[in-house]
Amino acid sequence: MEVVKPVKRNVLLNPGPATTTDTVKYAQVIPDICPREQEFVDIMTEVRKELVNVVHGDPEKYTAVIFTGSGTIIQDVCVNSLVPENKKMCVVNNGAYSARMVEIAENYGIPCVNLEFPTTGLPDLEVVKKTLAEDNDIAVVATVHHETGTGVLNPVREIGKIAHDNGCVFVVDTISTYGLRPIRIEEENIDFLMSSAQKGLAAMTGASWTVGKIEEIKKSKNYPKRSYYCNLYMQYDFFERIGEMHFTPPVQTIYALRQAIKEYRAEGEQARWERLSKCWEAIHRGLGEIGLESVIDKEIQGRLVVTVKAPDDERFDFSKLHDYCYERGFTIYPGKMFGLKTFRLCNLGQITYKDIEDFFVVAKEAFQEMGYTIPINA
Ligand SMILES: *Cc1c(COP(=O)(O)O)cnc(C)c1O
């Protein structure tokens, strides 16, 4: 892949979109093509196959169904399409992204048992077990693999086991782990997972997909059609019969996604995970040097997001910190935790531990600009 001209590189430490390679950026520059052409249908077919492959899905059992939109569209699709008539969904909710699935269910008028747990810890599996055992109307259990709002990694394999023991379909938002942490879909007891191009695969915003059980998609044909554009079965059926999306696909985004998958393959699942783990270690090292702490216990973090406790004094100003870093090519992000002053550092994209070390040089300067000496509590 030829890069015509390098683009200014920004290190994105926000929770997606992620830093991309120039080769992925330039993969979007292609001759105009009508997506109904066989050439594009072939690309779609190849990309769908690869998306199942990334999570080691058996192609006899699992398929990928892509939609045009940001990550939330695939939450919308899974929630509105997979709950049978007169049945309920149960959300194991310990963060902002599971809360979003509850909101989606409420918007469609789908009965939803919202099992809320503290956002700083893991869900209580005994409560999940008891709830599913006592309520036979629950047909779908949904949760988030890695709560991007906090950095907590949820025990999906265990939740999936409980869901299956109770005859429920298990749906997992893996938007901030897919293509980052190795996932084996069947071993994790996942029937449907979700992902989005601008996160783990470090491609462009505009394409999101589920990798799901073919058998369950076929069953959903007879479930209530709560959305026209976002119905899973309708999109699946179009892909299977015609080989393409029902409506106009995000053409250039798909080319970038195809390139990003190639780069994922070239790097290798394990090598990518090690690179990102090193970034995460470097974040903790840098925070330690400044004298800052993470809100979430290290043992339950997914190694992709660190929620940082902001200093509790009047010198700290998030927007000053943000602007100082932003002007020097590093983007950081506010926290998403109720009632706590926090900010987040995320290591999702095409970055290395060296970028993190460079970031902390700049971050330390920013703290000094705000009037601190480093370490800040000394
Ligand atoms: C980013 C993200 C989403 C989707 O957010 P969009 O803004 O719609 O892209 C959903 N779930 C998780 C866990 C995420 O990290």
Side-chain angles (χ1 to χ4, degrees), residues 343-359:
F343 63 92
R344 277 179 289 173
L345 301 177
C346 313
N347 49 300
L348 303 179
Q350 289 291 356
I351 57 172
T352 68
Y353 76 94
K354 186 73 179 56
D355 293 320
I356 304 292
E357 290 178 354
D358 294 345
F359 161 72

Side-chain angles (χ1 to χ4, degrees), residues 151-196:
V152 170
L153 187 76
N154 280 325
V156 291
R157 189 181 299 206
E158 289 76 7
I159 301 171
K161 169 86 170 53
I162 300 170
H164 288 167
D165 286 349
N166 289 278
C168 297
V169 166
F170 187 44
V171 178
V172 185
D173 173 345
T174 57
I175 291 177
S176 62
T177 44
Y178 182 106
L180 300 164
R181 283 185 81 90
I183 298 174
R184 305 190 87 86
I185 187 166
E186 203 162 1
E187 284 172 31
E188 296 297 332
N189 295 321
I190 298 173
D191 299 312
F192 290 86
L193 60 70
M194 311 170 197
S195 182
S196 196

Side-chain angles (χ1 to χ4, degrees), residues 253-265:
T253 300
I254 296 292
Y255 280 89
L257 178 58
R258 181 175 68 155
Q259 176 65 21
I261 295 169
K262 280 188 193 153
E263 294 177 17
Y264 175 78
R265 290 274 167 239

Side-chain angles (χ1 to χ4, degrees), residues 62-137:
Y62 290 93
T63 190
V65 185
I66 311 174
F67 285 80
T68 303
S70 79
T72 306
I73 200 169
I74 202 67
Q75 286 193 330
D76 188 323
V77 167
C78 289
V79 171
N80 87 58
S81 306
L82 292 170
V83 185
E85 182 119 59
N86 299 322
K87 291 286 184 184
K88 295 181 193 167
M89 180 171 134
C90 171
V91 179
V92 179
N93 172 2
N94 62 340
Y97 290 99
S98 14
R100 192 175 292 177
M101 287 194 277
V102 174
E103 268 182 42
I104 294 169
E106 283 168 355
N107 266 275
Y108 283 107
I110 296 167
C112 179
V113 178
N114 177 13
L115 281 187
E116 255 187 293
F117 299 99
T119 56
T120 49
L122 299 178
D124 182 342
L125 299 185
E126 287 308 315
V127 173
V128 178
K129 230 180 243 173
K130 194 161 175 286
T131 306
L132 297 190
E134 285 172 3
D135 191 340
N136 292 327
D137 287 340

